[in-house]
Amino acid sequence: MPTFKHPCPFCGKFIDKIAAACPYCGQVEPFSPKRCQTCRKIVEDPAWVVCPSCGASLVTPPPGAGTATSPATSPGGAAGQAAPPPPPAGTPPQPPAAATGQAQPAAPPPAPAGKCAGCGAPLPSGARFCTICGTMAG
């Protein structure tokens, strides 16, 4: 029995409606509604950034964010503070800012790479697709 193919909502290639994953873009369950990764509740509004049921983040972390070491395995110790990088060769040692009474400036948050053309959500740097609506970035 022949089946009609439907365009994948994420890449536009024609695939079977019953496909478990798009063979072209790799999107799992492309025709199913978006669900919370923690509690599996249906995300009713694509603008949601937090699941109203369990409070988990619905925004996908940028690539490489999951590769950071945990505080227990970081060289900074059990306090969870990372050790500062060693100074370049040839520079005199500097006392820590806490010892001199000076406050260290906070690092600015990473700037988003732009906004999605489809829904207007901010895109993380290096994003190829919008994590909210799936529109191709760029």
Side-chain angles (χ1 to χ4, degrees), residues 24-108:
Y24 300 102
C25 67
Q27 179 67 35
V28 179
E29 299 177 348
F31 298 109
S32 297
K34 182 177 176 182
R35 293 183 176 269
C36 173
Q37 293 295 320
T38 305
C39 68
R40 304 299 298 158
K41 286 273 203 178
I42 293 176
V43 177
E44 297 172 10
D45 187 355
W48 288 354
V49 293
V50 177
C51 176
S53 179
C54 68
S57 175
L58 297 174
V59 180
T60 307
T67 60
T69 58
S70 68
T73 60
S74 67
Q81 297 177 350
T91 59
Q94 297 286 330
T100 61
Q102 298 174 352
Q104 290 183 345

